[in-house]
Amino acid sequence: AKIAHGQYRNGYRQLAQGLRASYQALIVQKIAVKRATLYLEIVQKQLAVHEAGFAKQEIAEATVVASRLAVEAAQIDYERVQFNFEAAKNSLARLSGCPALANEAIPDEVPSLTYNEAAFNLLLAGFLAQKDLPTIDAVTARRNLEIANLNYAITRTRLRPKFGASAGVSQSVQRNLYGTI
């Protein structure tokens, strides 16, 4: 029961880590969508400049063709990144059991981590004070070892020779030719 309880707690810990990782990946993908949008706008403006130059016969047609291909590639990249972002939002919603987040609810940047030396030193001291790692795998292995030792002790006791002793007293009345005994 203790092993199952530990595995249950470990499952919830892994769920929390998965939610945190998915949320952070969602923030990064939102940034990627913004980058792809900006790049698409830049390439489209560059195409407009090249087409205007080609109309005035200042730029070669090969440059315009290359710009058109760059716009198409940027459009495809934008659609791919946007699709991945929406899929990540839906995946996080399924994993968390909540409705999908709105784009405004997702931050525009990954929050920076703050360094607190006291908290770090406290965590380090606690980690160094442990003789055994408190991971669920280590705890499960220790509990399985305890179970194996108990099974060994039971088996060893069962294989000992068995001695039986019994004592009894009985009384009976007999009648025969010579009288009652």
Side-chain angles (χ1 to χ4, degrees):
K2 289 180 181 178
I3 290 172
H5 180 69
Q7 290 172 340
Y8 189 74
R9 280 185 36 219
N10 190 44
Y12 268 104
R13 185 184 57 79
Q14 288 178 346
L15 174 65
Q17 286 178 342
L19 285 170
R20 188 177 304 122
S22 295
Y23 184 70
Q24 289 176 345
L26 195 62
I27 295 170
V28 171
Q29 288 180 342
K30 181 178 180 180
I31 295 168
V33 167
K34 284 187 175 187
R35 184 192 55 79
T37 304
L38 182 64
Y39 180 68
L40 181 61
E41 290 172 4
I42 290 171
V43 174
Q44 285 173 341
K45 288 177 184 176
Q46 188 177 19
L47 176 63
V49 169
H50 286 168
E51 285 181 344
F54 180 69
K56 295 178 185 175
Q57 296 184 348
E58 295 173 350
I59 296 177
E61 185 179 0
T63 306
V64 175
V65 170
S67 290
R68 287 180 186 153
L69 290 176
V71 167
E72 288 180 17
Q75 181 67 33
I76 291 170
D77 186 50
Y78 169 76
E79 290 172 1
R80 180 184 54 80
V81 170
Q82 184 67 30
F83 176 79
N84 289 342
F85 177 63
E86 293 299 323
K89 283 190 344 185
N90 292 332
S91 176
L92 179 64
R94 280 191 310 274
L95 186 61
S96 66
C98 297
L101 294 171
N103 289 349
E104 297 79 30
I106 303 169
D108 291 334
E109 60 184 26
V110 177
S112 61
L113 296 176
T114 57
Y115 175 70
N116 185 351
E117 187 174 353
F120 175 75
N121 288 336
L122 182 66
L123 184 64
L124 180 63
F127 180 74
L128 293 176
Q130 297 171 358
K131 65 177 186 174
D132 293 327
L133 293 178
T135 63
I136 187 63
D137 296 329
V139 171
T140 301
R142 274 189 237 109
R143 293 222 167 105
N144 282 332
L145 182 62
E146 289 173 13
I147 291 170
N149 285 335
L150 289 173
N151 285 336
Y152 175 70
I154 290 169
T155 303
R156 209 171 88 202
T157 303
R158 196 180 303 150
L159 292 177
R160 288 184 183 157
K162 308 283 187 283
F163 296 103
S166 63
V169 176
S170 67
Q171 179 181 359
S172 64
V173 176
Q174 292 182 359
R175 293 184 186 171
N176 59 19
L177 242 32
Y178 303 109
T180 301
I181 303 173

